[in-house]
Amino acid sequence: RYSVFRPNTNVRDAIESIFPEIEEGTKASLNPVNLVALTTLATPKLVIERDHLATQIETYQYLIKRLHPEPPYFISSLSPKEIMDRVEELGLLQTEETDFGAVVHHDEFTAVLMTWYKNNVVHTLALPSLIACLLINRRRGISADQIPRMVERVYPYLCEELSCDPADIDQALAVMLDRGLICQDADGVLRPPSPSEADHRQLALLAKLVSQNLERMYIVIQQLAIEPSSREALRRAAQQLAKRISRVYGINAPEFFDLRLFDAFIDGMIRRGIVSADEEGLLTYDNSLKDVLRAAEFVIEPQIRYGVLASANGSSAEAAPSA
């Protein structure tokens, strides 16, 4: 599992000492810290209403139990309230009473610490998160038979980065429909819930789990589409652009510009024949990459997409309009 940050031994021991011992061979252990981190780190300013955090934790427990019903997965059976209380007892979550109710948040150091606990389990929800990314901004929806084709273009790269299980797309869609995270018309078109519904916010937070992975991939693809370059030049240019985007748009995740992840993605495209080197060592790409760029218009957040385009073309990302 990727991470450029790892909590020190004292912190890990304190957390692990209060949760049940996990059997050897367990693929993922989702303890209360993991479940909180999956939600709080997806919020814009690391702040969320306490009630909304509880609802999102409950949704993640539901999805994981339905998508991974058998060992080697372990997920905390505590209630969302008990989960939040346990994480608060560890000093990893703070509650603030406001005029509009209780909100919870992390301080800056704790947020970095929590990335380790999020990154270790995000693979358990990578597939529904990718589906959420495809649907959240499409008011007109997508035909159900288009989803597998769109998922299969991207999911293999997420799997390599996150060590995901093979995709059972039909099962994931069925579980998300049962939970009310997505809707299906009589003609088979899948849509997100109305923005006024609570389920829409849950879908948006779910989409955030892999959105930065997709944004990092988009940086590489867009850079390659604008200007053919050698593999070395591409990886360095992509990393520098990711650092700039991270700084300008406040992406608080060190792995966003981790050079190893750019290497893995570029190597994956070369291995699959989507990208190849010409006689001069410059990388070229096939038409499927153009389809990915067109699809990105609905998946990558507008301000990030504009920032990447502006920076890749030598413009100022700081001048990009906010969403």
Side-chain angles (χ1 to χ4, degrees):
R1 206 76 62 230
Y2 70 82
S3 184
V4 296
F5 174 85
R6 184 179 177 87
N8 64 51
T9 303
N10 291 338
V11 173
R12 296 201 311 274
D13 289 348
I15 292 172
E16 291 167 5
S17 67
I18 66 171
F19 300 127
E21 184 177 348
I22 308 305
E23 295 182 4
E24 184 177 353
T26 298
K27 275 190 177 181
S29 166
L30 288 98
N31 64 41
V33 179
N34 301 123
L35 289 166
V36 167
L38 284 170
T39 299
T40 54
L41 297 185
T43 60
K45 296 184 178 180
L46 309 177
V47 178
I48 186 172
E49 295 92 331
R50 192 176 177 89
D51 290 345
H52 289 166
L53 174 58
T55 301
Q56 199 71 18
I57 290 172
E58 186 177 20
T59 292
Y60 289 163
Q61 288 177 309
Y62 175 88
L63 292 176
I64 294 165
K65 287 176 181 177
R66 287 284 307 273
L67 294 173
H68 310 289
E70 301 294 336
Y73 289 91
F74 168 86
I75 182 168
S76 174
S77 59
L78 297 176
S79 70
K81 181 183 182 304
E82 291 171 325
I83 285 171
M84 292 186 294
D85 289 345
R86 297 293 288 273
V87 177
E88 198 163 13
E89 289 170 8
L90 286 166
L92 298 176
L93 189 66
Q94 300 173 15
T95 298
E96 177 184 346
E97 295 294 339
T98 71
D99 293 340
F100 49 86
V103 299
V104 293
H105 60 92
H106 304 299
D107 59 45
E108 193 170 317
F109 171 79
T110 302
V112 176
L113 168 67
M114 296 292 276
T115 62
W116 191 80
Y117 290 96
K118 173 205 160 193
N119 290 344
N120 275 348
V121 298
V122 70
H123 64 287
T124 61
L125 291 169
L127 179 56
S129 179
L130 176 57
I131 293 171
C133 286
L134 293 172
L135 285 168
I136 190 65
N137 294 318
R138 291 180 182 259
R139 287 176 293 180
R140 295 185 179 181
I142 307 175
S143 173
D145 58 11
Q146 287 184 284
I147 293 287
R149 178 173 54 85
M150 299 175 76
V151 168
E152 287 162 4
R153 283 180 179 163
V154 179
Y155 192 67
Y157 299 102
L158 283 176
C159 281
E160 289 180 356
E161 184 172 313
L162 303 175
S163 302
C164 308
D165 287 338
D168 189 335
I169 300 169
D170 290 340
Q171 180 196 25
L173 289 172
V175 171
M176 293 174 75
L177 282 164
D178 288 346
R179 186 64 180 179
L181 293 171
I182 56 178
C183 311
Q184 188 168 27
D185 295 346
D187 56 2
V189 173
L190 296 169
R191 290 186 173 86
S194 167
S196 62
E197 297 178 18
D199 291 330
H200 188 276
R201 181 173 184 178
Q202 291 184 49
L203 186 69
L205 285 171
L206 176 62
K208 284 287 188 180
L209 293 182
V210 299
S211 63
Q212 288 180 5
N213 306 75
L214 300 180
E215 287 161 6
R216 192 188 318 107
M217 295 175 189
Y218 175 69
I219 286 172
V220 174
I221 293 171
Q222 190 63 67
Q223 191 78 30
L224 183 60
I226 289 173
E227 182 180 7
S229 59
S230 67
R231 183 189 179 285
E232 179 62 23
L234 175 61
R235 66 195 286 268
R236 292 294 179 185
Q239 184 192 40
Q240 289 304 308
L241 180 50
K243 285 182 177 179
R244 185 175 187 178
I245 294 297
S246 176
R247 176 62 175 165
V248 171
Y249 295 104
I251 298 175
N252 188 28
E255 68 272 8
F256 188 71
F257 46 82
D258 187 348
L259 194 58
R260 294 170 298 177
L261 300 179
F262 288 112
D263 285 335
F265 180 51
I266 295 169
D267 290 343
M269 289 193 294
I270 293 173
R271 189 167 55 252
R272 289 178 173 82
I274 295 173
V275 171
S276 58
D278 62 18
E279 295 178 355
E280 297 179 355
L282 298 179
L283 297 179
T284 59
Y285 55 90
D286 66 16
N287 288 331
S288 64
L289 215 59
K290 295 179 181 178
D291 294 335
V292 173
L293 285 174
R294 282 194 291 269
E297 182 176 342
F298 297 96
V299 176
I300 306 299
E301 291 188 5
Q303 72 270 25
I304 299 294
R305 194 172 73 251
Y306 183 93
V308 170
L309 286 167
S311 297
N313 281 295
S315 302
S316 172
E318 287 84 350
S322 59

